[in-house]
Amino acid sequence: MRLLILGGTQFLGRAIAAHAYAAGHDVTCAARGMAGAAAEGARFIRVDRDDPDGLAPLAGEPFDAVVDVSRHPGQVRRAIAALKHRAAHWTFVSTVTVYADNRTPGQRADTAPLRAPTAPEVEHCTEETYGAAKVACEQAIGENAFICRAGLIAGPEDPTGRFTYWPVRLARGGEVLVPGTPDDAMQLIDVRDLARWIVHAAQSRLTGTFDAIGPSFTRGEFLAQCGAGVGASCTFIWAGRAFLESRDIRRWSGPRSLPLWLPLPEFAGFATRDTSPAREAGLTVRPLSETARDTLAWARAGRAAVTGLTVDEESAALRAWHASR
Ligand SMILES: NC(=O)c1ccc[n+]([C@@H]2O[C@H](COP(=O)([O-])OP(=O)(O)OC[C@H]3O[C@@H](n4cnc5c(N)ncnc54)[C@H](OP(=O)(O)O)[C@@H]3O)[C@@H](O)[C@H]2O)c1
């Protein structure tokens, strides 16, 4: 295939480019050149998608398949207008943040209600409008495309640092502050498994809307598998919501967070999505221990972002937890 990736210079886009090139495809990545470099073997074309005529450098290029990772409705609309009629297959990487209901467990992509899209005149997505903007992007693409709603993406080159926190922290060993309970649900996908499925979808001309995420597992299993992957020896100190909130320890991602923690029951549906349609359509996932091992190796090689509690913040929280017993 001649595969065009709109993006392709960081994390998921780079992994798609790397996998497609390794599988023998002709890969072009189109971006501004700010986020990073295209994967080895891929051709890079400089474009600015915020410029109304920004895709002009791709004019006249024939592509068999296009993958778009954008979150900005204006960029997506311009790409559809300029390129969709010229490509046999179109993939749009969306997100499970498009869903309106995070509370109900076991939902499926074909029936779960969506958020309202951003207004038609909205060009750009912000942190607050991310889910609504992705709905608007999906609607701009219309039928006859592969809409791939990714859940939490983990693995080497993750710029968010949130999954990376856990292999790095567990590898340090000792007492580890962990959120919630061992039975809380979690769900994620290794970036390389997602990349492989996206290339497979382009090759096989898969269309339709899917949740792209691995099976649901418990936080206890998550810690056990991550620990096994990095050879850790840890004692887990389980801290409940009341304790974490009283210490201003935050949810999900970013400074002062325990990454990947979401309070229940508000998010009981977020990590229990039914992904059997994706599996039936060819998505396969590697063991989490492998994701953890490879993420740690990448982090140790330098330049990895890690977000979450600092060593001092975690130590202070552990002291407070013991004092409260
Ligand atoms: N990370 C997660 O856990 C998660 C979860 C669910 C869904 N997702 C979705 O998964 C995808 C992740 O994609 P990704 O890892 O490749 O990262 P990304 O942050 O979506 O990458 C953006 C890409 O677009 C390019 N770009 C940005 N602005 C541009 C512009 N004005 N003109 C041309 N190119 C531009 C960037 O390169 P330059 O800056 O160099 O231009 C970069 O290559 C996204 O669709 C995201 O919404 C992620």
Side-chain angles (χ1 to χ4, degrees):
M1 284 185 299
R2 286 185 56 118
L3 174 68
L4 170 65
I5 305 171
L6 293 169
T9 55
Q10 70 176 11
F11 196 33
L12 175 63
R14 260 175 68 84
I16 297 168
H19 182 77
Y21 177 70
H25 300 296
D26 178 322
V27 183
T28 301
C29 300
R32 294 166 303 179
M34 293 166 74
E40 197 185 321
R43 180 170 65 128
F44 177 73
I45 296 188
R46 194 174 303 277
V47 302
D48 184 349
R49 300 180 63 183
D50 290 328
D51 176 345
D53 197 26
L55 295 175
L58 300 171
E61 295 260 355
F63 294 108
D64 300 307
V66 175
V67 176
D68 189 0
V69 300
S70 178
R71 62 196 65 200
H72 303 296
Q75 293 185 358
V76 168
R77 285 191 287 266
R78 281 189 289 279
I80 293 292
L83 301 169
K84 189 149 184 266
H85 62 283
R86 291 204 264 129
H89 188 262
W90 196 274
T91 296
F92 177 65
V93 181
S94 190
T95 168
V96 294
T97 308
V98 293
Y99 295 116
D101 173 8
N102 285 314
R103 194 177 268 264
T104 309
Q107 296 180 74
R108 289 171 63 110
D110 52 356
T111 49
L114 300 182
R115 294 168 188 265
T118 46
E121 65 277 14
V122 171
E123 286 269 311
H124 282 101
C125 153
T126 64
E127 209 171 306
E128 291 70 39
T129 62
Y130 174 59
K134 283 286 206 182
V135 175
C137 294
E138 288 188 7
Q139 291 181 353
I141 289 154
E143 301 294 308
N144 196 24
F146 173 46
I147 307 284
C148 171
R149 293 178 179 153
L152 175 82
I153 307 173
E157 301 194 11
D158 179 0
T160 73
R162 52 196 171 197
F163 172 81
T164 312
Y165 176 89
W166 290 107
V168 168
R169 175 63 194 89
L170 297 188
R172 232 173 54 233
E175 278 196 343
V176 181
L177 189 74
V178 294
T181 78
D183 296 329
D184 292 354
M186 299 182 70
Q187 214 168 7
L188 55 78
I189 186 157
D190 186 297
V191 64
R192 298 160 295 179
D193 296 333
L194 181 54
R196 184 176 55 213
W197 191 44
I198 287 171
V199 174
H200 168 77
Q203 266 177 303
S204 58
R205 305 268 189 265
L206 176 67
T207 58
T209 300
F210 295 84
D211 285 337
I213 193 164
S216 193
F217 42 78
T218 67
R219 195 178 303 280
E221 288 162 354
F222 170 83
L223 292 167
Q225 280 220 39
C226 281
V230 303
S233 168
C234 304
T235 305
F236 298 127
I237 303 295
W238 291 94
R241 178 177 189 167
F243 174 83
L244 297 175
E245 289 182 346
S246 74
R247 303 282 314 169
D248 187 28
I249 293 174
R250 300 174 194 164
R251 58 177 76 168
W252 191 243
S253 182
R256 277 203 75 78
S257 69
L258 269 182
L260 315 190
W261 169 54
L262 287 173
L264 301 174
E266 299 94 304
F267 288 92
F270 186 79
T272 54
R273 304 203 63 82
D274 176 357
T275 62
S276 45
R279 283 202 306 281
E280 284 156 19
L283 175 64
T284 56
V285 298
R286 71 194 64 210
L288 179 58
S289 53
E290 197 176 313
T291 306
R293 180 199 68 197
D294 296 348
T295 304
L296 180 67
W298 165 71
R300 284 184 169 161
R303 297 204 320 274
V306 182
T307 58
L309 294 183
T310 63
V311 173
D312 289 348
E313 286 165 351
E314 191 201 27
S315 301
L318 284 168
R319 280 195 302 278
W321 187 88
H322 283 297
S324 72
R325 294 295 99 185

